[in-house]
Amino acid sequence: MKASHALILLIAITAVTAIKYEAEHAHVIGGAVQINDNKVFVKYSNTGDKIIFTINAVKNGPHTMLLNYNANSNTLMEVQVNGHQQEPLKLYHSSNNQKHVIELRVGINSLVLKMSMGEILNLDSITVQDAVPTAKRGATITYTEYEAEDAVTNGLIIGPERKFMTLPSEASGRRAVQLVDKSKYVEFTTKDISNAIVVRFSIPDTPDGKGNVARLSVLADSKFITDLTVTSKWSWVYGAYPFSKRPSDGSPHHFYDEARALFNTTLPKGTKIRLVPSSDIVYTIDVIDMYRVEPPYTQPTTGYVSIADYGADASGKSDSTKSFQSAIADAKSKGANVWIPKGTFSVKERFVLDQITIRGAGPWHSTVVASEPHGVGFFADWAPKGSSKVGLYDFAIIGDTNYRDDQQVDSGMGGAYSDSIIQNVWIEHTKCGLWLDGPFHDLHIVGITVRNVYADGVNFHKGVTNSVVEQSIFRNLGDDGLAMWSDQLVNQNNVFKFNTIQVPGFANGIAIYGGDSNQATDNYVADTVCEGGGLQASNRFGSTLLAGTTLLARSTLDRCGAPNRFNLEHNGAMWFWPSDGEMTNLVNVTDIELNDSSFAGITFWGGHVTKLYFENVNINKAPYAWEANSVSGQVYAINVVAKNIEKTGIHTCTSPDSFKIVDVKGNSGWNSTSCN
Ligand SMILES: *[C@@H]1O[C@H](CO)[C@@H](O)[C@H](O)[C@H]1NC(C)=O
Ligand SMILES: *[C@@H]1O[C@H](CO)[C@@H](O)[C@H](O)[C@H]1NC(C)=O
Ligand SMILES: *[C@@H]1O[C@H](CO)[C@@H](O)[C@H](O)[C@H]1NC(C)=O
Ligand SMILES: *[C@@H]1O[C@H](CO)[C@@H](O)[C@H](O)[C@H]1NC(C)=O
């Protein structure tokens, strides 16, 4: 009996590892989503039409994919995985399904299926064997996170505290551990195999703002593994927005930075990792991420020139700017792409790319470092010229920017990238991660990490269409984590989905400023600090007014909402502000969890709203469920359930005649109203 049960279980486990991906949920470029007989599919009708799928795998190697389709003629498809061309795929007119083998790697893969010959192809879905599900909400995180305050420590736990300009207010979960001398430590036991570490820390600044430098030792089961260099050079900003690097300006914040190291050994699950200071200054340890980094990827056998052949120095000691420039120019003239081998390459300029791929051995192995402020960046040309068909894969960009100067061009990436893919790139210490000025179209960003920057994580700025950011990780930003800003030119049809944003530091987790039919879905946002909420949709900053349907769906916001710097108002975990004009088009807010919000769950500021729908929203612990400040119009509530409301259901001084939350059905927990 037992054995047969085990067998059934085994079969069940084997069977569930095939995952079906609906074509209409992928990033559709050129094709059109259609419905026929209740079946939703994507219709390809031109060569060049393509779909980009995201597939999570746990092993390197061949995976069988089954396609469900119908075709008007025999069709030839180009197949690209993580930017690598693979065996083309033939789909026969006489059949409705076809098997094909694709080569995947561990982690998130991008799969492009592009029609290169054929008439009409209706693709319903693909099913990939041995693929694994991605996280339900937020990015699929491939490391394990350990909060210092949950570890074993003889240090001092600080927080919880959400007051702006305090150390715990910028810590994840709003608590951290302080180690005040060399006898103090933080120790935790690993839950997974690991070979690399990231420590999020803060150490005090120096009076001249240049920053302290110290070490933090990493021990594994009492054995020395490595020393991390920790510095306050890339943290601590001061004074008035957009903040300076002068301590005399007062009002410090942006306290944290991160140090990372790849070990020369792999540690088993159950290893005791201990962090020990090397100086008697105060170390604040917030969170530790333990990674299991894949070995370096190797240079593709064809189609790439390596910067090593142009004199690049993998030790980072001498400057490699010219090597990059020559490699890029040479590759362009040959129709080839550029390979960044394992190593640290120091540069002092940014590179402007068009119709080329730059690929590294992985963001832990191939690192491009700025040797001076504003000295790095992988840019597209600016519109109207713009760039297209750029691929950026598998490397790190580490800048030398330590405050925000909006006169400088010093984001990790910028410009107008049409029909391009940015995947598995890690960006730190630049102004924004990616500040992307449109008009451009069809950009696909997947699996990137942006941390410790001085402005936005990603900004789709004016005229960006049909572009996606997904499966990406953002922490410690200086402005919105993910923003779409329809500044004069409309952003249309873009999606931010399955992203994780932690401690944006300033402004919002995710913000949609104007634009037409944009979406933020399946995201996770935690710990907004100042002047922002987890999610915002608004008509602000001179944006084109929200049009079409704006969808904010299936997301969780923990400890979001924040005080405003200038007055007594606060931002809710979600907030809406029709500052530049009325919000009259449908804003659909559905399936949202708001946990432990700092102020109201949902806030409205000023202006006029008429068509905001809130459906299946849980507000778990907040001072208020709703807050309405001098707003007029009405919003609709369906299954908005509030629990553990500390003050009143609705905080408003606006008369119910001018602003109304229409209680459609299924609502509870927010009957009471207060004005002060
Ligand atoms: C790995 O690093 C440790 C600590 O720096 C060092 O003692 C050891 O010799 C290194 N091992 C190898 C194989 O390089
Ligand atoms: C909002 O979106 C959800 C999910 O897509 C959908 O089920 C619901 O009908 C939409 N609500 C409105 C008011 O359109
Ligand atoms: C958020 O709320 C949901 C629903 O109550 C709960 O399942 C989840 O654990 C909460 N998350 C946190 C981090 O509190
Ligand atoms: C208001 O109170 C009634 C009675 O307790 C309850 O049934 C209803 O769900 C409450 N509505 C809201 C919006 O909280």
Side-chain angles (χ1 to χ4, degrees):
M1 214 34 209
K2 271 198 173 147
S4 69
H5 264 132
L7 190 65
I8 289 165
L9 190 66
L10 192 68
I11 290 166
I13 287 169
T14 319
V16 293
T17 61
I19 294 190
K20 184 172 175 179
Y21 303 87
E22 296 291 345
E24 69 274 14
H25 293 161
H27 187 181
V28 177
I29 296 173
V33 174
Q34 305 219 325
I35 304 176
N36 205 346
D37 297 333
N38 283 329
K39 203 165 189 176
V40 190
F41 55 88
V42 173
K43 179 174 177 180
Y44 289 70
S45 37
N46 292 297
T47 56
D49 286 358
K50 65 184 179 188
I51 306 185
I52 310 179
F53 291 91
T54 299
I55 297 164
N56 191 20
V58 284
K59 63 179 178 77
N60 294 309
H63 289 66
T64 303
M65 153 172 90
L66 178 74
L67 295 99
N68 276 303
Y69 69 95
N70 62 66
N72 281 20
S73 63
N74 292 344
T75 304
L76 192 66
M77 305 285 282
E78 196 179 305
V79 178
Q80 242 178 53
V81 179
N82 306 324
H84 298 293
Q85 290 294 341
Q86 299 204 351
E87 204 51 32
L89 164 64
K90 276 191 193 133
L91 297 175
Y92 295 98
H93 165 56
S94 55
S95 177
N96 291 116
N97 54 67
Q98 172 75 41
K99 277 194 176 149
H100 192 74
V101 174
I102 49 174
E103 200 71 32
L104 298 177
R105 68 189 192 193
V106 172
I108 295 292
N109 292 265
S110 64
L111 165 67
V112 178
L113 297 179
K114 178 170 163 187
M115 188 158 91
S116 51
M117 233 172 68
E119 286 167 17
I120 290 188
L121 172 72
N122 296 323
L123 184 63
D124 176 21
S125 66
I126 64 168
T127 302
V128 180
Q129 293 293 328
D130 296 324
V132 288
T134 50
K136 283 229 167 65
R137 289 183 180 186
T140 301
I141 306 278
T142 56
Y143 51 87
T144 310
E145 211 165 68
Y146 301 88
E147 289 290 350
E149 63 273 19
D150 298 334
V152 176
T153 183
N154 57 358
L156 175 73
I157 295 179
I158 57 168
E161 172 61 79
R162 301 191 191 184
K163 193 168 179 289
F164 185 46
M165 297 189 289
T166 63
L167 271 163
S169 75
E170 292 184 26
S172 74
R174 314 302 178 114
R175 290 193 304 158
V177 171
Q178 284 194 327
L179 309 176
V180 296
D181 61 56
K182 288 185 279 196
S183 73
K184 302 292 189 287
Y185 63 85
V186 166
E187 183 177 278
F188 57 92
T189 305
T190 59
K191 295 180 212 152
D192 296 291
I193 296 173
S194 61
N195 62 0
I197 192 170
V198 169
V199 178
R200 183 165 197 256
F201 68 90
S202 177
I203 62 170
D205 201 7
T206 50
D208 63 2
K210 291 202 171 123
N212 264 311
V213 183
R215 283 176 296 122
L216 181 67
S217 299
V218 181
L219 310 184
D221 291 334
S222 311
K223 226 178 82 199
F224 175 79
I225 290 285
T226 193
D227 266 339
L228 298 170
T229 300
V230 292
T231 166
S232 54
K233 178 176 176 185
W234 289 297
S235 41
W236 296 82
V237 298
Y238 301 92
Y241 176 88
F243 315 117
S244 78
K245 203 59 194 155
R246 286 182 304 271
S248 58
D249 291 343
S251 308
H253 71 280
H254 199 88
F255 299 113
Y256 292 84
D257 190 22
E258 298 178 14
R260 69 174 195 168
L262 184 58
F263 307 149
N264 64 7
T265 177
T266 297
L267 304 172
K269 166 180 169 173
T271 302
K272 283 194 162 62
I273 302 286
R274 180 180 285 220
L275 304 178
V276 188
S278 66
S279 326
D280 290 332
I281 54 170
V282 180
Y283 291 62
T284 304
I285 309 293
D286 174 27
V287 66
I288 302 103
D289 301 333
M290 297 302 292
Y291 284 74
R292 184 179 185 179
V293 176
E294 288 292 298
Y297 303 128
T298 52
Q299 182 177 347
T301 47
T302 57
Y304 282 78
V305 303
S306 169
I307 56 165
D309 295 333
Y310 299 81
D313 173 15
S315 75
K317 288 199 185 87
S318 55
D319 182 66
S320 296
T321 308
K322 288 218 156 52
S323 310
F324 268 95
Q325 287 164 339
S326 312
I328 291 166
D330 224 17
K332 286 254 355 167
S333 72
K334 292 178 180 151
N337 297 309
V338 172
W339 172 252
I340 309 174
K342 182 171 156 63
T344 299
F345 300 93
S346 165
V347 300
K348 48 188 175 197
E349 279 179 37
R350 62 173 188 278
F351 308 113
V352 180
L353 311 166
D354 187 27
Q355 306 195 40
I356 194 165
T357 287
I358 313 280
R359 176 184 293 284
W364 284 86
H365 301 295
S366 299
T367 305
V368 186
V369 182
S371 60
E372 51 191 59
H374 333 303
V376 71
F378 287 80
F379 275 55
D381 222 323
W382 275 275
K385 189 159 168 279
S387 300
S388 66
K389 300 185 172 57
V390 176
L392 295 160
Y393 299 89
D394 308 330
F395 63 99
I397 300 171
I398 311 291
D400 185 24
T401 291
N402 66 2
Y403 69 101
R404 174 174 179 170
D405 176 352
D406 286 342
Q407 302 309 306
Q408 296 293 341
V409 179
D410 57 349
S411 293
M413 295 181 187
Y417 281 109
S418 286
D419 200 10
S420 294
I421 298 187
I422 298 168
Q423 180 178 350
N424 197 27
V425 175
W426 179 308
I427 302 174
E428 282 191 67
H429 302 162
T430 54
K431 181 167 56 200
C432 294
L434 302 88
W435 182 273
L436 303 168
D437 294 306
F440 67 84
H441 55 89
D442 305 319
L443 171 63
H444 188 80
I445 298 177
V446 58
I448 67 166
T449 298
V450 177
R451 291 176 172 172
N452 312 311
V453 297
Y454 298 87
D456 308 46
V458 175
N459 194 309
F460 281 177
H461 180 221
K462 60 181 183 186
V464 179
T465 54
N466 198 40
S467 294
V468 170
V469 179
E470 65 172 293
Q471 294 295 350
S472 293
I473 293 164
F474 302 88
R475 186 159 69 197
N476 196 30
L477 313 153
D479 210 318
D480 295 329
L482 282 168
M484 297 183 200
W485 178 18
S486 293
D487 181 11
Q488 301 164 62
L489 297 178
V490 62
N491 287 326
Q492 194 173 35
N493 237 346
N494 303 294
V495 184
F496 293 153
K497 62 178 178 181
F498 295 104
N499 300 293
T500 290
I501 296 132
Q502 297 169 297
V503 209
F506 191 76
N508 302 285
I510 301 175
I512 297 181
Y513 303 119
D516 182 356
S517 307
N518 296 297
Q519 304 188 359
T521 69
D522 311 281
N523 295 296
Y524 174 73
V525 184
D527 297 309
T528 57
V529 178
C530 180
E531 230 161 288
L535 261 171
Q536 180 185 25
S538 62
N539 290 329
R540 281 179 80 189
F541 305 122
S543 55
T544 67
L545 303 185
L546 287 165
T549 293
T550 303
L551 179 66
L552 307 177
R554 301 179 299 277
S555 295
T556 297
L557 313 183
D558 285 340
R559 298 173 300 275
C560 285
N564 188 299
R565 273 174 310 157
F566 307 112
N567 48 39
L568 295 176
E569 287 157 332
H570 330 283
N571 309 117
M574 302 188 81
W575 63 300
F576 301 87
W577 191 10
S579 163
D580 295 344
E582 299 183 356
M583 277 166 73
T584 50
N585 274 53
L586 178 62
V587 177
N588 179 353
V589 181
T590 188
D591 296 324
I592 305 279
E593 293 288 327
L594 306 175
N595 290 321
D596 194 5
S597 304
S598 301
F599 297 98
I602 302 162
T603 298
F604 304 99
W605 274 21
H608 189 70
V609 294
T610 58
K611 237 181 143 185
L612 262 75
Y613 275 78
F614 294 86
E615 184 161 4
N616 304 335
V617 176
N618 289 318
I619 303 169
N620 310 304
K621 188 167 183 282
Y624 311 101
W626 308 83
E627 182 173 358
N629 294 313
S630 48
V631 57
S632 64
Q634 63 206 9
V635 304
Y636 300 86
I638 306 149
N639 296 327
V640 175
V641 175
K643 287 184 181 147
N644 299 317
I645 295 301
E646 290 148 348
K647 293 183 180 164
T648 50
I650 307 172
H651 182 62
T652 187
C653 298
T654 305
S655 118
D657 296 335
S658 66
F659 178 72
K660 199 161 162 180
I661 301 172
V662 181
D663 185 347
V664 181
K665 61 172 185 194
N667 301 299
S668 66
W670 44 273
N671 270 328
S672 56
T673 299
S674 63
C675 171
N676 41 39

